[in-house]
Amino acid sequence: MNTDRSTLGRRISGWWHRTFVDLIEQLQWSYLPPLMVYFAAGVSGLTSVVGAFFLKEYLNLSAAFVAGLAFWAGLPWILKMPLGHLVDLFWRWKSLLIVVGATLITASLLIMYRLVAAPDHMAGIMPLEDWYVVALMLAPSGYAIQDVVADAMTVEAVPQSDRDGRAFAPEEVRARHTTMQTLGRIAIISGFAGVAAVNIWIFSGAEDLEKGDRLVLYGQVYLVALVIPLLSISGVVLHALIQRRLVRQGHLPHRPDQTTEVRWPILLGGFAFVVLSIVLGTANFAFAQETVFAVSLTVILYLMSRLLRELDSKQAKVLIGTATIIFVFRAVPLPGPGLTWFEIDELGFDEQFLAILALLTSLLALLGLIILRPFMASRSIAQVVVLLTIAAGVLALPNLALYYGVHEWTSARTGGVVDARFIAILDTAVESPLGQIAMVPMLAWIARNAPTHLKATFFAVMASFTNMALSASSLGTKYLNQIFTVTRAVTDLRTGTVASVADYSHLGNLLIAVGLISVIVPLAVVFLVQNSSYQTRD
């Protein structure tokens, strides 16, 4: 018996060390600057609750149209291809792009502040819905630019040798890159968690406020959010200070092993993509999104084929299989805004409670990243995706249960304890962490295997490919919302007239369709890839 207890104690101690102690021991000061940029991206969630309520209450946009907006908002992330190559070409000046991104983010926040603080003035220039679309496009453009630079900074942050100049073994380098990418996801989700806690405090008692007073509160949130661009710029300044300090201590500055040549197909292709997106986005063309998606996916696949020539045949096949699995996992459709509208209208969820859900989601994501880090470092990406797909299917059940009134049955039999809010706390659909977790092993693989002189380009092209999956997800979400139409009550902000009424009768079928697709499709693709020559064991 004592032997069994001793063995169990050693196993628990070993797990604790691998999961938590080892993570802390691998921390480096050089990791902090990119983590600050990632953290700023997470802090962007400060305005998510406000944006959801403002959209629902005051903007007459359908659920399908909002899902379509998500497609356009995701396009800047596809432009990480030419941006990443620019970082490789102008490695020394890459930090200036952070300032450009911060400027775009600031402009978006100021537009949203004026929408809630002075709607009549803004409406006199152009419709509020148009202003909202402009703000929605500026913000992701800024965050995408900053994310490209942060990815490049992670390459500089991970040391390749110890203090005595001895090179680390490949296994050690793999572990350090996995740690760096894990910390990057932790920084993003920590930002989500922090601002969720702030939202809980800000919206305490907001349920008793009149609509006008709520708009004032929303405006204050957007002003507080101006700290976001300051955080990312501070990360760049700290990065410069750390690099200079290392040089003074005798360390050579990080530079690519060889000169990066201009890849004109990448730059010109990115420019052509911008022009095409603007032309189709502003034209009255019914299939503009589908056209942009097809063209951009074709361009990305072409660029990937060019970059794969830099790898040997085995590495190239592994990367193709890995990217395919991640793409499909992230491409599954979502319920869309109708679910949040139902929670607000029918279940009585207010701003503060949605912030509580976001906080719990973020904390669970942090815990999942930390606990699963040893698993991700030692298992193939296919195994990780299978686990996360099953988890996604389980986490979709609470929403379905709430729609069909299970909370009424449970509340009646538990004295009101297990009510709608109790069940919702078990759900993580407000901001799913699973996509963040799935990206860690792939990012670590790129950081480990991509040629040094094309690190940022590889990061950007592969990230663009996986971000195309989010565009595919937005299209799928739009199609499902066109099939299963969901509407909510909208009051015109200026006239006070009712613009539309609520109808959630098709939401149940929408949730069932999303749940089935989210589980069946990724598992089928993993099975096909792992039984082909493109299987991934890395």
Side-chain angles (χ1 to χ4, degrees):
M1 182 67 69
N2 290 334
T3 302
D4 292 340
R5 290 180 178 177
S6 177
T7 301
L8 179 61
R10 286 195 300 270
R11 289 180 177 177
I12 294 176
S13 176
W15 172 83
W16 177 266
H17 188 278
R18 290 191 305 272
T19 303
F20 296 100
V21 177
D22 183 59
L23 180 64
I24 296 174
E25 289 178 346
Q26 290 192 40
L27 288 175
Q28 304 278 339
W29 276 107
S30 59
Y31 292 177
L32 186 56
L35 294 181
M36 291 179 67
V37 181
Y38 287 136
F39 182 77
V43 175
S44 66
L46 179 64
T47 60
S48 60
V49 174
V50 171
F53 270 83
F54 181 75
L55 169 64
K56 176 193 174 295
E57 298 292 343
Y58 302 110
L59 300 180
N60 189 18
L61 301 173
S62 69
F65 183 82
V66 174
L69 281 181
F71 172 85
W72 294 114
L75 291 185
W77 295 95
I78 300 172
L79 290 175
K80 291 181 69 174
M81 293 184 298
L83 290 173
H85 192 50
L86 284 176
V87 170
D88 283 326
L89 292 173
F90 303 101
W91 185 267
R92 183 179 178 184
W93 307 103
K94 61 185 179 297
S95 298
L96 292 178
L97 289 173
I98 290 288
V99 179
V100 175
T103 302
L104 296 176
I105 295 168
T106 301
S108 174
L109 292 172
L110 290 178
I111 289 174
M112 290 304 300
Y113 169 73
R114 293 295 293 172
L115 282 182
V116 300
D120 291 337
H121 174 74
M122 299 294 281
I125 301 174
M126 66 180 184
L128 298 183
E129 288 79 7
D130 293 348
W131 279 117
Y132 178 79
V133 172
V134 171
L136 192 69
M137 292 301 298
L138 286 176
S141 298
Y143 290 121
I145 292 172
Q146 293 192 345
D147 192 67
V148 171
V149 181
D151 288 343
M153 291 166 66
T154 62
V155 178
E156 288 184 318
V158 176
Q160 302 297 312
S161 59
D162 59 22
R163 294 181 179 178
D164 298 326
R166 291 189 295 269
F168 291 123
E171 295 78 10
E172 178 69 11
V173 174
R174 170 178 175 163
R176 289 178 179 273
H177 278 297
T178 301
T179 297
M180 178 72 255
Q181 299 303 328
T182 301
L183 290 172
R185 302 312 103 183
I186 289 175
I188 293 174
I189 300 173
S190 295
F192 287 145
V195 299
V198 172
N199 273 325
I200 293 173
W201 172 69
I202 289 176
F203 292 112
S204 177
E207 66 275 6
D208 299 325
L209 296 177
E210 298 293 333
K211 281 194 172 183
D213 295 329
R214 287 195 179 195
L215 285 177
V216 173
L217 191 60
Y218 293 171
Q220 293 174 355
V221 171
Y222 282 112
L223 288 179
V224 172
L226 290 173
V227 72
I228 297 171
L230 293 178
L231 278 173
S232 54
I233 291 176
S234 299
V236 169
V237 173
L238 180 60
H239 175 75
L241 294 175
I242 289 177
Q243 293 300 315
R244 290 180 182 178
R245 183 180 174 219
L246 291 174
V247 171
R248 286 197 301 268
Q249 291 176 348
H251 296 276
L252 294 176
H254 181 95
R255 291 192 180 94
D257 294 336
Q258 52 186 286
T259 302
T260 304
E261 298 180 357
V262 178
R263 304 296 175 101
W264 289 110
I266 294 178
L267 294 181
L268 295 179
F271 177 76
F273 175 76
V274 172
V275 173
L276 175 67
S277 299
I278 293 175
V279 171
L280 291 178
T282 55
N284 188 20
F285 179 47
F287 298 100
Q289 294 177 348
E290 289 79 3
T291 303
V292 170
F293 177 81
V295 172
S296 56
L297 183 59
T298 301
V299 171
I300 290 173
L301 291 176
Y302 168 74
L303 295 176
M304 285 179 61
S305 67
R306 304 273 299 201
L307 287 178
L308 289 175
R309 297 177 183 178
E310 304 286 339
L311 304 174
D312 62 46
S313 176
K314 183 178 179 181
Q315 284 182 318
K317 286 189 174 182
V318 169
L319 184 56
I320 291 172
T322 298
T324 301
I325 290 173
I326 297 295
F327 182 93
V328 173
F329 175 77
R330 290 164 65 92
V332 295
L334 301 174
L339 176 59
T340 302
W341 298 343
F342 173 81
E343 293 172 339
I344 295 171
D345 283 345
E346 302 297 325
L347 302 181
F349 292 179
D350 54 22
E351 295 96 334
Q352 186 183 39
F353 185 69
L354 288 182
I356 291 173
L357 289 181
L359 175 61
L360 292 175
T361 297
S362 301
L363 293 178
L364 287 173
L366 285 175
L367 185 61
L369 275 174
I370 294 173
I371 292 178
L372 290 176
R373 185 181 64 90
F375 176 83
M376 289 186 292
S378 59
R379 298 294 192 277
S380 71
I381 296 176
Q383 292 173 311
V384 173
V385 169
V386 168
L387 174 65
L388 297 180
T389 299
I390 295 173
V394 173
L395 294 175
L397 296 178
N399 284 329
L400 195 60
L402 288 174
Y403 176 77
Y404 285 105
V406 172
H407 59 284
E408 297 175 358
W409 184 86
T410 57
S411 179
R413 286 158 179 77
T414 59
V417 175
V418 185
D419 58 2
R421 295 194 173 199
F422 184 94
I423 294 175
I425 288 176
L426 302 178
D427 177 48
T428 59
V430 177
E431 182 64 46
S432 174
L434 302 182
Q436 295 284 358
I437 296 175
M439 285 300 294
V440 170
M442 181 171 181
L443 292 173
W445 192 96
I446 296 172
R448 247 180 13 255
N449 294 285
T452 305
H453 65 293
L454 289 174
K455 288 285 189 185
T457 305
F458 257 86
F459 266 116
V461 172
M462 298 310 300
S464 294
F465 176 70
T466 53
N467 285 329
M468 279 299 301
L470 299 182
S471 296
S473 175
S474 297
L475 286 176
T477 302
K478 183 186 74 170
Y479 297 149
L480 288 179
N481 275 269
Q482 290 174 340
I483 297 171
F484 307 106
T485 304
V486 178
T487 61
R488 86 289 192 196
V490 178
T491 303
D492 189 278
L493 184 60
R494 300 176 299 280
T495 65
T497 59
V498 176
S500 66
V501 296
D503 181 7
Y504 299 108
S505 58
H506 299 293
L507 182 59
N509 292 332
L510 172 62
L511 294 176
I512 292 173
V514 169
L516 291 176
I517 294 172
S518 300
V519 174
I520 295 174
V521 175
L523 292 181
V525 170
V526 170
F527 176 80
L528 292 175
V529 171
Q530 292 301 94
N531 286 276
S532 71
S533 60
Y534 297 94
Q535 63 178 300
T536 172
R537 301 186 183 277
D538 200 359

